[in-house]
Amino acid sequence: SWDGFYFGAQVGLGQGKAAATVWDAAPTSANNAFGGPIGGGQFGYNVVLPSQTLLGWEVDASFPNYIASNASIVSVPTAQNHVTEELGYLVTARGRVGYVVGPWLIYGTGGIALLGSRTLNDLPSGNEEKLLLTRFGGVVGAGTEYAFDPNWTMRFEYLYGNFARTNAAFPSGVNYGSTVDFNMFRLALNRKLDGVT
């Protein structure tokens, strides 16, 4: 049975693109492709209708590998500053609609997402300013899941997130803004909570 609550863990690869602008004496823009290993966990609920259609919801959180090159979203050097934005976390809340064929589930998913980042500004004095930014976005994707045991499933999933522009001002008066697109390819293992067999 696919019905009921479940929880699990996931690992995968995140790949994204960012466009950023820094305003100090003059605007300076930069684009960057970034990515690396990610991992996290999820919690959700499923119900299967007599037609074998599955309806569900899921909340998950993903975190990057904190090697600097993997976490860096974009870096914008200017004559007076050097601003770098680093990925902190990504949380999604999504609905799922799928079709069950024996031990297999094929599904589509979509919902809202929250991306958190750290934005650092290296000043000419050698000091560093830091801002914690959050931005909302939308996420869509699809996946396939296999029940290899009455209480355990494994899935492969793709998600795409688009995040609205965020703008921030450092205490020094430097302004920063960026937009982010993010792709995730994830392999997940889930355990049913109610132990229905």
Side-chain angles (χ1 to χ4, degrees):
S1 172
W2 289 88
D3 295 276
F5 290 97
Y6 63 89
F7 72 99
Q10 37 92 0
V11 295
L13 180 67
Q15 295 286 334
K17 293 182 178 180
T21 302
V22 172
W23 291 268
D24 46 22
T28 302
S29 298
N31 298 303
N32 185 52
F34 66 96
I38 57 174
Q42 63 274 345
F43 177 79
Y45 180 81
N46 295 321
V47 60
V48 179
L49 304 179
S51 63
Q52 296 303 104
T53 299
L54 179 142
L55 303 177
W57 57 262
E58 182 172 296
V59 177
D60 72 78
S62 297
F63 305 90
N65 179 321
Y66 284 104
I67 297 173
S69 60
N70 291 337
S72 179
I73 293 176
V74 66
S75 181
V76 188
T78 73
Q80 302 178 28
N81 300 274
H82 190 162
V83 179
T84 302
E85 185 174 5
E86 298 177 345
L87 179 63
Y89 61 85
L90 177 62
V91 175
T92 78
R94 297 173 284 110
R96 296 205 306 165
V97 178
Y99 187 73
V100 174
V101 182
W104 289 94
L105 167 66
I106 300 171
Y107 65 90
T109 183
I112 60 174
L114 180 68
L115 185 146
S117 64
R118 301 174 301 277
T119 305
L120 310 173
N121 181 26
D122 293 324
L123 299 168
S125 64
N127 295 326
E128 183 181 74
E129 298 178 305
K130 179 179 179 180
L131 293 175
L132 298 178
L133 303 179
T134 57
R135 74 187 86 195
F136 287 96
V139 61
V140 295
T144 182
E145 193 164 353
Y146 177 70
F148 62 90
D149 178 89
N151 298 317
W152 291 90
T153 68
M154 180 172 286
R155 77 163 74 140
F156 177 76
E157 179 177 67
Y158 165 75
L159 294 177
Y160 166 75
N162 179 265
F163 297 90
R165 185 176 186 86
T166 186
N167 294 287
F170 288 97
S172 63
V174 175
N175 291 293
Y176 172 81
S178 68
T179 58
V180 176
D181 291 334
F182 198 55
N183 299 276
M184 291 185 289
F185 304 87
R186 310 192 301 191
L187 186 66
L189 183 67
N190 289 318
R191 172 71 161 87
K192 292 191 66 179
L193 281 175
D194 52 10
V196 174
T197 59

